[in-house]
Amino acid sequence: MIIQTMWWVDQEFDDNDTVAYAIFTVTPVRGKVRSASSRKPGEVQVSVKKNAQSTGCQIQIARDKKFKKSVKTIKTTNVRKTIKGLLHGKKYYVRVRNYKDVKTRYFKHWGVNDSVEETIYGKWSKVRTVVCK
């Protein structure tokens, strides 16, 4: 996981109070497909390398290499996932990326704060090919 930090100090208050701000940018590492195989007709089992710093992974399976036709996207926290409802005898392409759920807190004057939850995605893995039985 890549964490970038930026700090700065602001002195714009009437009481000459000093406020320090910090921005953290968190980027999950690139996902990795360990294996993609078809054991039953219409099903593909995808195994993903586990990353302890990520919340989970997003798996994409498609009929073409550019992921434009018949794309299915699945979000999971498991290492192994079975994707069903595929056409048997067809070639599919699989890729994976890690994601991290981050709670961002915004601190305002006099201790009042807001928080927002967002999902940050890493880069896609190399594409793996599998023929569905």
Side-chain angles (χ1 to χ4, degrees):
M1 181 169 304
I2 301 166
I3 301 175
Q4 298 173 348
T5 311
M6 184 171 59
W7 290 88
W8 71 91
V9 177
D10 192 7
Q11 293 183 341
E12 293 184 8
F13 294 113
D14 294 335
D15 301 343
N16 290 331
D17 291 338
T18 302
V19 177
Y21 297 95
I23 295 176
F24 296 97
T25 305
V26 179
T27 307
V29 296
R30 183 185 298 266
K32 185 174 183 180
V33 178
R34 283 192 181 240
S35 68
S37 61
S38 179
R39 296 184 180 156
K40 294 182 181 177
E43 292 183 3
V44 169
Q45 187 175 22
V46 179
S47 181
V48 179
K49 184 178 179 182
K50 179 72 174 164
N51 186 350
Q53 296 172 337
S54 296
T55 306
C57 67
Q58 189 178 31
I59 302 169
Q60 259 191 353
I61 187 164
R63 291 279 313 281
D64 67 313
K65 207 171 193 175
K66 294 185 180 184
F67 291 85
K68 300 289 182 190
K69 298 177 192 171
S70 304
V71 180
K72 283 190 177 186
T73 305
I74 298 113
K75 230 175 166 181
T76 182
T77 57
N78 298 332
V79 177
R80 195 172 286 137
K81 182 70 177 174
T82 302
I83 302 166
K84 299 179 181 181
L86 305 176
L87 300 173
H88 89 93
K90 299 290 182 182
K91 186 186 281 190
Y92 283 92
Y93 298 92
V94 180
R95 67 182 179 179
V96 137
R97 68 178 173 180
N98 291 320
Y99 69 89
K100 177 82 175 163
D101 291 330
V102 178
K103 188 172 187 178
T104 305
R105 301 189 95 182
Y106 298 101
F107 293 97
K108 297 180 181 177
H109 307 299
W110 311 113
V112 179
N113 60 11
D114 293 330
S115 63
V116 177
E117 284 197 23
E118 59 184 333
T119 303
I120 299 172
Y121 293 96
K123 293 182 179 180
W124 287 109
S125 67
K126 293 181 180 178
V127 177
R128 297 285 293 263
T129 307
V130 61
V131 177
C132 188
K133 285 189 178 182

